[in-house]
Amino acid sequence: MIDMQDTDTSFRDRPINIDERGSRKWVYAKKPKGKWYTRRTIFSWFVLLFFLVVPFIRVNGNPFILLDISSRNFILFGAIFWAQDTFILALLMLSFILFIILFTVTYGRLWCGWACPQTIFLEMVFRKIEYLVEGDFRKRLKLDKGPWTFEKIWKKLLKHSIFILISLMMTNTFLMWFIGSEKWLILIAEPISENFSGFVVMLIVSGFFYWVYSYFREQICTMVCPYGRMQGVLLDSKSIVVSYDYKRGEPRGAKTKGDCIDCGQCIFVCPIGIDIRNGTQLECINCTACIDQCNTVMKRTAKDPGLIRFDSDTGIKEGHKTIWNSRNRAYTVVLILLFSFFIYTLLSRPVIETTILRTPGLLYQENTDNIISNLYNIKIVNKTHDYLPLEIRLISHEGEIIMAGSKMEIEDQAMFESTFILFIDREVLESDNTDVEFGIYSKDELIETYKTNFVGP
Ligand code: SF4
Ligand code: SF4
């Protein structure tokens, strides 16, 4: 609930939670209830569980996801990304950005209302604690406007203490995503004096989370988040968003022909405080709270549900029975293809990275029996979590390879560097610069090929 005196058309000029002097208007959102809220709550449990559990999941002894920026060690879904994988990472990032754009054009801000950590923590954790301690919107408004009684003091103390605790937990869990749970366990076992700067950073980040969820709140979505700010260019009349069916609802009022009885319940329940009947707005995070609330009102007034529903502007204007049209079907196919490409690229990354270059400054050597030889430098990076015994073979021609030094083998995530000589019969060579291809084998299985050249007379 928000002071609506001057909001009838002010939504066109400024965010709904800002008054004409630029001051903040506090939103007292009514506790949502209904089918969509239940679905969202269940979904958020999975997201929260994922957030909390991921740092402890291990794949072959390594983290499932690790974003260790300081050591440039990135692990995504168990796959390690090295500095040499920048190209794959860039490709994945580009396909991810394309995915987000197409997804938003088609399905609007589904991400914001359902999966964004900001919404999940605010609506499903902090707001629920607030409902529990201070009660629903009218009670909270009365409490805030009222004098500092014993009840107000203990309620505020309890709520903010829980908020601070959760903020600390959030920071520590985020920390594990970046440094791994083992390092985190070592860090917290050590005395604070040994990691004092890290401890101060942890307190600052926790303080930031506490400030966001206890005070700044929905302003992250309306004023800070770049994704939110981009909605104006990403959405169009065919995007599926939370929409008010103005054809059915208007003219609004208790005794009018339209189905909207103008009860204002959809505004009371909105965590941003907007009126969805004004049309699609930048602030709407598609949380579906107004759908649930309006459906309850429709039920009470014996009208069909869906006055507020997921639909596109075109769908409502033209009275479509389904939200599906040829464009969102085609985009959905593209999204599935993009997602498949994303997964395929992740899974099909070569397990090793090989570089074979002729030793600089040397041409070729002529040996007895008409045999020509070239000297090569070889570098192999093991991207797996396993020890790899390796073998190199020439697969394009007949030839012999003699490695310098010991056996070819690499420990997990290590690098192998050596030199070898390749001998090829002069008769086999096609020119003074022949393309040759090597195969890298592990336990007789070809795991990578590498093309380079062989110089001869
Ligand atoms: S909840 Fe439904 S009936 Fe009530 S004001 Fe909103 S749209 Fe109209
Ligand atoms: S208008 Fe409806 S869907 Fe949009 S933020 Fe408000 S309650 Fe959520």
Side-chain angles (χ1 to χ4, degrees):
M1 187 167 73
I2 204 161
D3 179 9
M4 294 295 291
Q5 284 164 10
D6 66 340
T7 55
D8 285 346
T9 55
S10 62
F11 70 92
R12 297 187 200 282
D13 311 323
R14 57 178 183 272
I16 203 82
N17 52 357
I18 304 277
D19 68 17
E20 69 283 1
R21 291 186 308 278
S23 308
R24 168 90 176 271
K25 286 198 231 170
W26 195 261
V27 179
Y28 293 91
K30 182 177 174 173
K31 187 173 185 234
K33 201 171 147 198
K35 180 174 81 178
W36 287 101
Y37 187 63
T38 309
R39 287 176 187 166
R40 225 157 42 94
T41 303
I42 295 170
F43 185 75
S44 68
W45 287 342
F46 283 105
V47 178
L48 285 169
L49 196 70
F50 179 79
F51 170 68
L52 292 170
V53 165
V54 154
F56 297 98
I57 301 178
R58 291 281 173 279
V59 180
N60 297 324
N62 278 286
F64 181 58
I65 294 179
L66 181 72
L67 310 168
D68 192 348
I69 298 166
S70 59
S71 316
R72 281 187 286 165
N73 187 9
F74 298 97
I75 302 177
L76 293 180
F77 309 111
I80 304 172
F81 286 85
W82 290 66
Q84 295 91 332
D85 291 321
T86 313
F87 174 71
I88 295 180
L89 274 178
L91 205 65
L92 289 179
M93 197 63 79
L94 275 178
S95 56
F96 184 62
I97 291 170
L98 193 59
F99 186 92
I100 287 179
I101 292 172
L102 275 185
F103 187 87
T104 312
V105 171
T106 315
Y107 298 106
R109 295 179 78 174
L110 216 53
W111 159 263
C112 301
W114 289 69
C116 174
Q118 160 70 11
T119 308
I120 288 195
F121 277 104
L122 179 58
E123 302 305 327
M124 296 296 165
V125 179
F126 288 89
R127 194 93 72 180
K128 282 191 183 214
I129 291 163
E130 200 166 69
Y131 292 140
L132 212 65
V133 178
E134 296 185 351
D136 209 347
F137 68 132
R138 290 195 201 285
K139 280 191 181 163
R140 291 204 312 277
L141 178 66
K142 198 172 153 209
L143 193 74
D144 281 1
K145 301 276 180 233
W148 280 95
T149 57
F150 175 70
E151 186 198 0
K152 183 168 175 172
I153 292 171
W154 80 253
K155 281 189 173 173
K156 293 286 174 198
L157 261 179
L158 179 64
K159 183 181 89 169
H160 288 282
S161 307
I162 301 174
F163 279 8
I164 290 168
L165 264 180
I166 294 176
S167 303
L168 285 166
M169 268 176 56
M170 281 175 71
T171 310
N172 281 279
T173 311
F174 270 121
L175 195 63
M176 281 190 260
W177 277 66
F178 289 94
I179 65 167
S181 54
E182 281 103 350
K183 256 196 202 172
W184 176 80
L185 285 168
I186 294 168
L187 271 181
I188 57 159
E190 286 171 355
I192 290 172
S193 54
E194 287 197 18
N195 298 294
F196 190 70
S197 53
F199 178 73
V200 171
V201 171
M202 193 274 288
L203 285 185
I204 292 172
V205 176
S206 302
F208 175 74
F209 282 143
Y210 168 70
W211 174 75
V212 165
Y213 292 110
S214 64
Y215 175 74
F216 203 65
R217 299 195 158 189
E218 77 285 349
Q219 294 182 103
I220 290 279
C221 308
T222 56
M223 299 200 301
V224 179
C225 175
Y227 179 62
R229 308 295 302 174
M230 276 181 357
Q231 298 308 308
V233 286
L234 292 178
L235 298 183
D236 67 11
S237 61
K238 285 184 178 163
S239 306
I240 301 166
V241 289
V242 173
S243 311
Y244 165 68
D245 188 344
Y246 56 89
K247 285 180 87 177
R248 201 187 122 184
E250 301 296 315
R252 64 183 76 163
K255 292 190 181 109
T256 55
K257 267 209 267 167
D259 278 358
C260 173
I261 59 167
D262 206 12
C263 60
Q265 289 292 320
C266 50
I267 310 169
F268 289 170
V269 85
C270 178
I272 314 285
I274 59 172
D275 184 349
I276 192 66
R277 295 172 302 168
N278 291 330
T280 305
Q281 291 148 75
L282 175 82
E283 297 94 328
C284 175
I285 54 165
N286 275 222
C287 73
T288 67
C290 55
I291 299 184
D292 278 334
Q293 195 62 26
C294 187
N295 281 346
T296 308
V297 175
M298 291 297 105
K299 199 171 171 193
R300 272 198 220 122
T301 52
K303 288 170 185 158
D304 288 341
L307 179 59
I308 301 176
R309 60 177 184 270
F310 272 117
D311 209 332
S312 65
D313 191 38
T314 309
I316 285 179
K317 198 185 286 168
E318 295 174 2
H320 293 159
K321 292 256 180 313
T322 168
I323 55 169
W324 294 103
N325 55 48
S326 49
R327 192 194 74 168
N328 57 31
R329 278 198 190 97
Y331 279 13
T332 303
V333 171
V334 177
L335 284 171
I336 293 169
L337 288 176
L338 264 175
F339 188 70
S340 311
F341 167 75
F342 191 86
I343 299 294
Y344 171 76
T345 313
L346 263 184
L347 297 180
S348 63
R349 281 165 67 248
V351 293
I352 58 169
E353 176 99 26
T354 306
T355 315
I356 301 173
L357 296 171
R358 278 195 311 103
T359 307
L362 286 180
L363 266 178
Y364 59 88
Q365 295 80 47
E366 293 189 53
N367 305 283
T368 53
D369 296 335
N370 225 14
I371 301 288
I372 308 295
S373 65
N374 280 197
L375 187 66
Y376 293 90
N377 294 335
I378 181 168
K379 189 160 91 178
I380 302 176
V381 176
N382 180 2
K383 295 179 182 175
T384 71
H385 310 288
D386 306 313
Y387 155 82
L388 284 180
L390 296 174
E391 190 192 342
I392 181 167
R393 298 177 196 165
L394 183 67
I395 54 177
S396 57
H397 298 76
E398 284 280 323
E400 193 192 350
I401 293 171
I402 295 183
M403 285 299 294
S406 56
K407 290 191 289 179
M408 275 176 81
E409 52 187 13
I410 328 180
E411 294 301 323
D412 67 323
Q413 302 172 59
M415 196 197 297
F416 169 86
E417 277 184 285
S418 187
T419 309
F420 68 86
I421 308 173
L422 172 63
F423 298 91
I424 300 183
D425 194 321
R426 185 195 288 250
E427 303 300 319
V428 178
L429 297 178
E430 290 132 27
S431 67
D432 59 351
N433 194 347
T434 306
D435 289 333
V436 289
E437 188 171 13
F438 295 98
I440 311 295
Y441 291 75
S442 183
K443 296 174 190 155
D444 258 345
E445 189 194 334
L446 179 67
I447 51 174
E448 201 185 18
T449 58
Y450 194 91
K451 282 184 180 160
T452 183
N453 65 337
F454 184 95
V455 292

